[in-house]
Every structure is written in structure tokens, then in C-alpha cells.
Amino acid sequence: MSTRNVVIAGEAGVGKSSLINLILGEARVLASNDAVGVTLETTRHPTTIFQHSYYLWDTPGLNEGTQGSLASKRVEEILRHLLTQLEKAHGVHLLVICFRGTKVTRTMQQTYMSITGICSKVSQNIPVAAVITELEKFGDSPEAMEVWWENNRNGLSTYNMVFAGHACITTLTDECHPPTTGRYRKCQVAVHQLIQRCSRSPKSTSSRNLNVVLFGETGVGKSSLINLMAGKEVARVSPDANACTLDSDEYAFDMGPARVQMWDTVGLGEPDTINEDRCFNAIEKAIQLIKSLNAAGGISLLLFCIRANRITITTQNNYRLFYEVLGRKEVPVALVVTHLEREQQMEDWWPRNEKMLEQYGIVTAGHACITGVVGHPKYQQSQEAIRALLLQYDEQGKFMMPSEAWIGRLLKGLVSFVGDKAFLRGRDMVRILTKRCHLRSDVAQRVAACLEQQVTHIAPHSGIEYQFYIK
């Protein structure tokens, strides 16, 4: 079960943001009654509909006129870029065009032609659905509001406006005039059913195992994140300050039809906390981790957990150790940003900080902005965000290497980060692998040989960027 992408498009001021709030069941998106649109860039909103994970993508409105914030050509460029990027990555599963419930006009046709023209150039297989809003005058339910569609069917046909499905609704709450109990929920269900009915199926709907390596510094909230993903307490929330680098706890839980196997792995600590004994312990834990990952069939996803408040040299080195060394840049790495409970909208953190992360060499294939505080009003929203992120990768192939080469590669990179590798050369390395790490002598010799043959030196960053804070 993969996460599905639903893109909402339409003219400025027709109620796209209000429609997204209706789908989400909460006022998460700024909405306005003005003719000029309030959405100036694409924004993403994770949600769950009938036990399927979705990303809803809000887009700027077309045809704002001379008083608008964005020219129509710029809006079309934004929409084209979004559809192209989504289709390349995980696919666009549904495009919803939002219209106001007036008489069908040539302007509506022009909006339809502009949006579907962009869509068809990206892919011929993206279904397009219509949602007609502001139909409260027709009745108190979508069934009653369906009169608009019947009255305008010929006009839609005349203008060659064809849709895979439609919903006739209002986004007014029950308290709005005229007050009507149950109206809001009925319209929400109608749109949910439209999305479920018209969305393109993922590439594969078969249940798959998802092998995830979770990593990050001490205190970023990895245990709380695991409990958030599992929907129950499976990991004890406690400090791991005394744990060894690359020590890991393994968890397994179901996420819809997907079976998630997760290795909660201790990342690198501050550079001055590593001594020779801890380095040896890290080597031992690295070997155990590689054996476990190979036995499970490899890695589907690297999940990097960071706090929202800062990036340090240790943050950067953890990213490089796991992405560049463990995954050899072949495993997608997704970022989870924690401790965002004070943000009015948690997702707002991402556009403010994405460029800065890239400047520090942290580039990811996906992200989720969350809080792991149980009982917080944004806890369910956080759960939907992290599940939507993970389920994008349930069709992902798994990366693995022959154990001896993989161990050699990881040890080479690990020692580059945590100590002077001179004391691990030759027979000393074989002795450590046999006596302390319990490898057979012949295996230890091959691992040591792989270590010596690794020509790529993974050097840690200099400390010049050490205490840079993201505001």
C-alpha cells in the first residue's frame, strides 16, 4: 500500500484551501473569501482516507488577474513542475480541479484546458476529477446538490470538459447560514469517496516488508517516533546516552498491509566522547547490525531523525556515515524533524529550512515534520505524516552487499569518523574481529582485506560548522 498523491488545482478564490480543510477535517490551511488567492506556493498535507495514506497538494490559483499575487504563466509553471516531480518519484494518483458552482462558462473551460493540457504532457494516465463548491443553496447534502451537475451536464459536454468522477458539495460548516446538522460531514464523506474511487492505483498493491534503519543523535526522540509509527508503545522512551555507536534495537509492527521491521540505531556522538574502547564496541555493534540486515534481506529506507532547533557537525557526520557509507548512496534517506509542537503548522518548518539543510550536505528523498508528544493535538497529524512518508517506500527494492565487503566498508567509514585508523591495521584488525567480534578466522581475514582495499576515505567535516543553529 503506497502513499498516493492527490493534487488540487483550480482558479484563484474557488475554495481549494477550504476543500483541503474539508478533506482533512480541520482548519489546517489558510482560507479566504477574497478573489485573490492565498496559496502562493505548493503545500503538502498528509492524511488518511479509508485506511489509505495520501498527500494532498494545494497549488496556487489560476486567473488572478492584474491584482493577483502570481501571474497565470507562473502558476502554470509551478503546477507543471509539481506534476513532473511527483510523477518521476512516486506518481500522481489523482488531479482534482475545483470549480465554483456557477453556470458553466468559457473561463471555466479555459481553466480546465490549461490544467488538463499541463497534465497530459506529464502523463496520459493521470485521472482528473471535479469538485463543485458553494452549492449549499441546492440542499443540505451532496445528493441534493447533485442537481447542479444535472443542470450543467450539457454545458460541460459542449465545452468538452470530461472527468473521471465528480462531487457536488459545500465547504460550509454546520454552523454557517443556513445552519444544518451533519452537512459538513456528508460533504467530507462525498469527497473522500471521490478520491478513493478515482485515484489511480499504486504500481503494486501487494503487501511487502519494509526494512528501515532509524538513526540520529541521542535525545532527538527516536523511541517516541517508533511508538508514533506503531500506534502503540513498543519502544521504551529513555535516554541512550550510555549506548554504543551503532548499537541497535529491532522492532516489528504492522502499518496497514505493510510489515515494518525497524532497527533503532544509535548514531555518532560528539567527537570528543569517543575513546578506543568505545571504538572497539562500535566495531562489534557494526558487525552485528550488518549480519542482522543481511539476514532480513537488506535495507529499504534510511530514516534520519533530527531535532528542529539545530544542525551540528555530529548531525552532518551521522548523515554521511549512514547514507554514504552504510547505504553507499543507493538507499533513499528520509528526514524526520521532531519537537515541532510549538509550530502553528508543523509543515511550515520545511520550506524555511530546506535550502539550509542542502547547504550542509543533507539532501533527502522525503520528509515528515512531527511531534512525538503523546496527547498533543498534533499527534494524530504527526502519525499520518510519518505513515504517509514510510508507505511511499513499501515498493522499494532492498539494498544489500556481501557481508564481508559490507562490514569492511562500514568499518572503514566508521573509524574515519570516530578515531585514528592506524591502530586497526594488519593483524590487530584480524585479532579484534576474531577475539572480540567472534568472526571465524578466515572470515576475519577477508573482512580485514576488504577494509585495507577500500580506497575511498570518508573524512569527517571540519568543526568550523559545529554549532550552527537553524532558527
Side-chain angles (χ1 to χ4, degrees), residues 358-374:
E358 291 178 358
Q359 289 177 16
Y360 280 80
I362 299 175
V363 181
T364 65
H367 72 275
C369 297
I370 65 143
T371 175
V373 178
V374 178

mmCIF file with all atom_site columns, all heavy atoms in Angstrom, residues 358-374:
data_model
loop_
_atom_site.group_PDB
_atom_site.id
_atom_site.type_symbol
_atom_site.label_atom_id
_atom_site.label_alt_id
_atom_site.label_comp_id
_atom_site.label_asym_id
_atom_site.label_entity_id
_atom_site.label_seq_id
_atom_site.pdbx_PDB_ins_code
_atom_site.Cartn_x
_atom_site.Cartn_y
_atom_site.Cartn_z
_atom_site.occupancy
_atom_site.B_iso_or_equiv
_atom_site.pdbx_formal_charge
_atom_site.auth_seq_id
_atom_site.auth_comp_id
_atom_site.auth_asym_id
_atom_site.auth_atom_id
_atom_site.pdbx_PDB_model_num
ATOM 1   N N   . GLU A 1 358 ? 20.351 21.635 2.626  1.00 0.00 ? 358 GLU A N   1
ATOM 2   C CA  . GLU A 1 358 ? 21.107 21.289 1.425  1.00 0.00 ? 358 GLU A CA  1
ATOM 3   C C   . GLU A 1 358 ? 22.502 21.913 1.460  1.00 0.00 ? 358 GLU A C   1
ATOM 4   O O   . GLU A 1 358 ? 23.468 21.296 1.013  1.00 0.00 ? 358 GLU A O   1
ATOM 5   C CB  . GLU A 1 358 ? 20.342 21.743 0.181  1.00 0.00 ? 358 GLU A CB  1
ATOM 6   C CG  . GLU A 1 358 ? 19.065 20.954 -0.068 1.00 0.00 ? 358 GLU A CG  1
ATOM 7   C CD  . GLU A 1 358 ? 18.292 21.456 -1.270 1.00 0.00 ? 358 GLU A CD  1
ATOM 8   O OE1 . GLU A 1 358 ? 18.733 22.456 -1.896 1.00 0.00 ? 358 GLU A OE1 1
ATOM 9   O OE2 . GLU A 1 358 ? 17.242 20.870 -1.595 1.00 0.00 ? 358 GLU A OE2 1
ATOM 10  N N   . GLN A 1 359 ? 22.612 23.121 2.003  1.00 0.00 ? 359 GLN A N   1
ATOM 11  C CA  . GLN A 1 359 ? 23.923 23.765 2.111  1.00 0.00 ? 359 GLN A CA  1
ATOM 12  C C   . GLN A 1 359 ? 24.857 22.966 3.019  1.00 0.00 ? 359 GLN A C   1
ATOM 13  O O   . GLN A 1 359 ? 26.074 22.989 2.846  1.00 0.00 ? 359 GLN A O   1
ATOM 14  C CB  . GLN A 1 359 ? 23.770 25.189 2.643  1.00 0.00 ? 359 GLN A CB  1
ATOM 15  C CG  . GLN A 1 359 ? 23.144 26.156 1.655  1.00 0.00 ? 359 GLN A CG  1
ATOM 16  C CD  . GLN A 1 359 ? 22.938 27.537 2.237  1.00 0.00 ? 359 GLN A CD  1
ATOM 17  O OE1 . GLN A 1 359 ? 23.514 27.874 3.270  1.00 0.00 ? 359 GLN A OE1 1
ATOM 18  N NE2 . GLN A 1 359 ? 22.112 28.341 1.585  1.00 0.00 ? 359 GLN A NE2 1
ATOM 19  N N   . TYR A 1 360 ? 24.293 22.259 3.972  1.00 0.00 ? 360 TYR A N   1
ATOM 20  C CA  . TYR A 1 360 ? 25.084 21.441 4.884  1.00 0.00 ? 360 TYR A CA  1
ATOM 21  C C   . TYR A 1 360 ? 25.209 19.995 4.405  1.00 0.00 ? 360 TYR A C   1
ATOM 22  O O   . TYR A 1 360 ? 25.585 19.108 5.155  1.00 0.00 ? 360 TYR A O   1
ATOM 23  C CB  . TYR A 1 360 ? 24.501 21.513 6.296  1.00 0.00 ? 360 TYR A CB  1
ATOM 24  C CG  . TYR A 1 360 ? 24.921 22.773 6.997  1.00 0.00 ? 360 TYR A CG  1
ATOM 25  C CD1 . TYR A 1 360 ? 24.276 23.967 6.733  1.00 0.00 ? 360 TYR A CD1 1
ATOM 26  C CD2 . TYR A 1 360 ? 26.002 22.782 7.864  1.00 0.00 ? 360 TYR A CD2 1
ATOM 27  C CE1 . TYR A 1 360 ? 24.675 25.140 7.333  1.00 0.00 ? 360 TYR A CE1 1
ATOM 28  C CE2 . TYR A 1 360 ? 26.407 23.951 8.473  1.00 0.00 ? 360 TYR A CE2 1
ATOM 29  C CZ  . TYR A 1 360 ? 25.736 25.132 8.205  1.00 0.00 ? 360 TYR A CZ  1
ATOM 30  O OH  . TYR A 1 360 ? 26.149 26.300 8.796  1.00 0.00 ? 360 TYR A OH  1
ATOM 31  N N   . GLY A 1 361 ? 24.866 19.774 3.134  1.00 0.00 ? 361 GLY A N   1
ATOM 32  C CA  . GLY A 1 361 ? 25.077 18.462 2.534  1.00 0.00 ? 361 GLY A CA  1
ATOM 33  C C   . GLY A 1 361 ? 24.033 17.439 2.867  1.00 0.00 ? 361 GLY A C   1
ATOM 34  O O   . GLY A 1 361 ? 24.215 16.249 2.596  1.00 0.00 ? 361 GLY A O   1
ATOM 35  N N   . ILE A 1 362 ? 22.917 17.842 3.479  1.00 0.00 ? 362 ILE A N   1
ATOM 36  C CA  . ILE A 1 362 ? 21.862 16.901 3.866  1.00 0.00 ? 362 ILE A CA  1
ATOM 37  C C   . ILE A 1 362 ? 20.735 17.008 2.840  1.00 0.00 ? 362 ILE A C   1
ATOM 38  O O   . ILE A 1 362 ? 19.923 17.940 2.876  1.00 0.00 ? 362 ILE A O   1
ATOM 39  C CB  . ILE A 1 362 ? 21.358 17.190 5.294  1.00 0.00 ? 362 ILE A CB  1
ATOM 40  C CG1 . ILE A 1 362 ? 22.508 17.039 6.290  1.00 0.00 ? 362 ILE A CG1 1
ATOM 41  C CG2 . ILE A 1 362 ? 20.199 16.269 5.654  1.00 0.00 ? 362 ILE A CG2 1
ATOM 42  C CD1 . ILE A 1 362 ? 22.144 17.428 7.712  1.00 0.00 ? 362 ILE A CD1 1
ATOM 43  N N   . VAL A 1 363 ? 20.704 16.069 1.914  1.00 0.00 ? 363 VAL A N   1
ATOM 44  C CA  . VAL A 1 363 ? 19.693 16.031 0.859  1.00 0.00 ? 363 VAL A CA  1
ATOM 45  C C   . VAL A 1 363 ? 18.897 14.743 1.020  1.00 0.00 ? 363 VAL A C   1
ATOM 46  O O   . VAL A 1 363 ? 19.475 13.662 1.139  1.00 0.00 ? 363 VAL A O   1
ATOM 47  C CB  . VAL A 1 363 ? 20.344 16.081 -0.538 1.00 0.00 ? 363 VAL A CB  1
ATOM 48  C CG1 . VAL A 1 363 ? 19.289 16.056 -1.623 1.00 0.00 ? 363 VAL A CG1 1
ATOM 49  C CG2 . VAL A 1 363 ? 21.221 17.322 -0.661 1.00 0.00 ? 363 VAL A CG2 1
ATOM 50  N N   . THR A 1 364 ? 17.589 14.847 1.052  1.00 0.00 ? 364 THR A N   1
ATOM 51  C CA  . THR A 1 364 ? 16.756 13.682 1.362  1.00 0.00 ? 364 THR A CA  1
ATOM 52  C C   . THR A 1 364 ? 15.729 13.425 0.271  1.00 0.00 ? 364 THR A C   1
ATOM 53  O O   . THR A 1 364 ? 15.410 14.295 -0.534 1.00 0.00 ? 364 THR A O   1
ATOM 54  C CB  . THR A 1 364 ? 16.025 13.886 2.709  1.00 0.00 ? 364 THR A CB  1
ATOM 55  O OG1 . THR A 1 364 ? 15.102 14.980 2.586  1.00 0.00 ? 364 THR A OG1 1
ATOM 56  C CG2 . THR A 1 364 ? 17.012 14.175 3.821  1.00 0.00 ? 364 THR A CG2 1
ATOM 57  N N   . ALA A 1 365 ? 15.191 12.203 0.291  1.00 0.00 ? 365 ALA A N   1
ATOM 58  C CA  . ALA A 1 365 ? 14.177 11.796 -0.690 1.00 0.00 ? 365 ALA A CA  1
ATOM 59  C C   . ALA A 1 365 ? 12.766 12.044 -0.192 1.00 0.00 ? 365 ALA A C   1
ATOM 60  O O   . ALA A 1 365 ? 11.807 11.822 -0.917 1.00 0.00 ? 365 ALA A O   1
ATOM 61  C CB  . ALA A 1 365 ? 14.352 10.309 -1.014 1.00 0.00 ? 365 ALA A CB  1
ATOM 62  N N   . GLY A 1 366 ? 12.622 12.502 1.039  1.00 0.00 ? 366 GLY A N   1
ATOM 63  C CA  . GLY A 1 366 ? 11.309 12.758 1.606  1.00 0.00 ? 366 GLY A CA  1
ATOM 64  C C   . GLY A 1 366 ? 11.464 13.269 3.023  1.00 0.00 ? 366 GLY A C   1
ATOM 65  O O   . GLY A 1 366 ? 12.546 13.216 3.609  1.00 0.00 ? 366 GLY A O   1
ATOM 66  N N   . HIS A 1 367 ? 10.363 13.759 3.614  1.00 0.00 ? 367 HIS A N   1
ATOM 67  C CA  . HIS A 1 367 ? 10.451 14.281 4.970  1.00 0.00 ? 367 HIS A CA  1
ATOM 68  C C   . HIS A 1 367 ? 9.097  14.209 5.655  1.00 0.00 ? 367 HIS A C   1
ATOM 69  O O   . HIS A 1 367 ? 8.060  14.084 5.002  1.00 0.00 ? 367 HIS A O   1
ATOM 70  C CB  . HIS A 1 367 ? 10.938 15.731 4.965  1.00 0.00 ? 367 HIS A CB  1
ATOM 71  C CG  . HIS A 1 367 ? 9.905  16.701 4.458  1.00 0.00 ? 367 HIS A CG  1
ATOM 72  N ND1 . HIS A 1 367 ? 9.733  16.970 3.113  1.00 0.00 ? 367 HIS A ND1 1
ATOM 73  C CD2 . HIS A 1 367 ? 8.976  17.453 5.127  1.00 0.00 ? 367 HIS A CD2 1
ATOM 74  C CE1 . HIS A 1 367 ? 8.753  17.845 2.965  1.00 0.00 ? 367 HIS A CE1 1
ATOM 75  N NE2 . HIS A 1 367 ? 8.273  18.152 4.176  1.00 0.00 ? 367 HIS A NE2 1
ATOM 76  N N   . ALA A 1 368 ? 9.142  14.310 6.986  1.00 0.00 ? 368 ALA A N   1
ATOM 77  C CA  . ALA A 1 368 ? 7.933  14.442 7.804  1.00 0.00 ? 368 ALA A CA  1
ATOM 78  C C   . ALA A 1 368 ? 8.264  15.373 8.956  1.00 0.00 ? 368 ALA A C   1
ATOM 79  O O   . ALA A 1 368 ? 9.312  15.236 9.593  1.00 0.00 ? 368 ALA A O   1
ATOM 80  C CB  . ALA A 1 368 ? 7.459  13.086 8.325  1.00 0.00 ? 368 ALA A CB  1
ATOM 81  N N   . CYS A 1 369 ? 7.393  16.330 9.209  1.00 0.00 ? 369 CYS A N   1
ATOM 82  C CA  . CYS A 1 369 ? 7.548  17.271 10.322 1.00 0.00 ? 369 CYS A CA  1
ATOM 83  C C   . CYS A 1 369 ? 6.528  16.896 11.393 1.00 0.00 ? 369 CYS A C   1
ATOM 84  O O   . CYS A 1 369 ? 5.317  16.909 11.127 1.00 0.00 ? 369 CYS A O   1
ATOM 85  C CB  . CYS A 1 369 ? 7.322  18.699 9.845  1.00 0.00 ? 369 CYS A CB  1
ATOM 86  S SG  . CYS A 1 369 ? 8.531  19.260 8.623  1.00 0.00 ? 369 CYS A SG  1
ATOM 87  N N   . ILE A 1 370 ? 7.004  16.575 12.600 1.00 0.00 ? 370 ILE A N   1
ATOM 88  C CA  . ILE A 1 370 ? 6.124  15.929 13.572 1.00 0.00 ? 370 ILE A CA  1
ATOM 89  C C   . ILE A 1 370 ? 6.379  16.393 15.002 1.00 0.00 ? 370 ILE A C   1
ATOM 90  O O   . ILE A 1 370 ? 7.353  17.077 15.298 1.00 0.00 ? 370 ILE A O   1
ATOM 91  C CB  . ILE A 1 370 ? 6.301  14.395 13.532 1.00 0.00 ? 370 ILE A CB  1
ATOM 92  C CG1 . ILE A 1 370 ? 7.724  14.029 13.999 1.00 0.00 ? 370 ILE A CG1 1
ATOM 93  C CG2 . ILE A 1 370 ? 6.032  13.831 12.153 1.00 0.00 ? 370 ILE A CG2 1
ATOM 94  C CD1 . ILE A 1 370 ? 7.808  12.792 14.802 1.00 0.00 ? 370 ILE A CD1 1
ATOM 95  N N   . THR A 1 371 ? 5.491  15.968 15.882 1.00 0.00 ? 371 THR A N   1
ATOM 96  C CA  . THR A 1 371 ? 5.730  15.951 17.318 1.00 0.00 ? 371 THR A CA  1
ATOM 97  C C   . THR A 1 371 ? 5.485  14.532 17.815 1.00 0.00 ? 371 THR A C   1
ATOM 98  O O   . THR A 1 371 ? 4.580  13.849 17.324 1.00 0.00 ? 371 THR A O   1
ATOM 99  C CB  . THR A 1 371 ? 4.811  16.924 18.076 1.00 0.00 ? 371 THR A CB  1
ATOM 100 O OG1 . THR A 1 371 ? 5.023  16.760 19.487 1.00 0.00 ? 371 THR A OG1 1
ATOM 101 C CG2 . THR A 1 371 ? 3.337  16.656 17.783 1.00 0.00 ? 371 THR A CG2 1
ATOM 102 N N   . GLY A 1 372 ? 6.306  14.102 18.758 1.00 0.00 ? 372 GLY A N   1
ATOM 103 C CA  . GLY A 1 372 ? 6.128  12.767 19.338 1.00 0.00 ? 372 GLY A CA  1
ATOM 104 C C   . GLY A 1 372 ? 5.518  12.812 20.716 1.00 0.00 ? 372 GLY A C   1
ATOM 105 O O   . GLY A 1 372 ? 5.514  11.801 21.431 1.00 0.00 ? 372 GLY A O   1
ATOM 106 N N   . VAL A 1 373 ? 4.963  13.959 21.108 1.00 0.00 ? 373 VAL A N   1
ATOM 107 C CA  . VAL A 1 373 ? 4.380  14.125 22.438 1.00 0.00 ? 373 VAL A CA  1
ATOM 108 C C   . VAL A 1 373 ? 2.989  13.501 22.452 1.00 0.00 ? 373 VAL A C   1
ATOM 109 O O   . VAL A 1 373 ? 2.063  14.000 21.806 1.00 0.00 ? 373 VAL A O   1
ATOM 110 C CB  . VAL A 1 373 ? 4.312  15.611 22.827 1.00 0.00 ? 373 VAL A CB  1
ATOM 111 C CG1 . VAL A 1 373 ? 3.656  15.773 24.194 1.00 0.00 ? 373 VAL A CG1 1
ATOM 112 C CG2 . VAL A 1 373 ? 5.709  16.231 22.828 1.00 0.00 ? 373 VAL A CG2 1
ATOM 113 N N   . VAL A 1 374 ? 2.838  12.424 23.206 1.00 0.00 ? 374 VAL A N   1
ATOM 114 C CA  . VAL A 1 374 ? 1.555  11.717 23.280 1.00 0.00 ? 374 VAL A CA  1
ATOM 115 C C   . VAL A 1 374 ? 0.499  12.638 23.887 1.00 0.00 ? 374 VAL A C   1
ATOM 116 O O   . VAL A 1 374 ? 0.749  13.326 24.881 1.00 0.00 ? 374 VAL A O   1
ATOM 117 C CB  . VAL A 1 374 ? 1.691  10.436 24.122 1.00 0.00 ? 374 VAL A CB  1
ATOM 118 C CG1 . VAL A 1 374 ? 0.342  9.734  24.247 1.00 0.00 ? 374 VAL A CG1 1
ATOM 119 C CG2 . VAL A 1 374 ? 2.727  9.507  23.499 1.00 0.00 ? 374 VAL A CG2 1
#
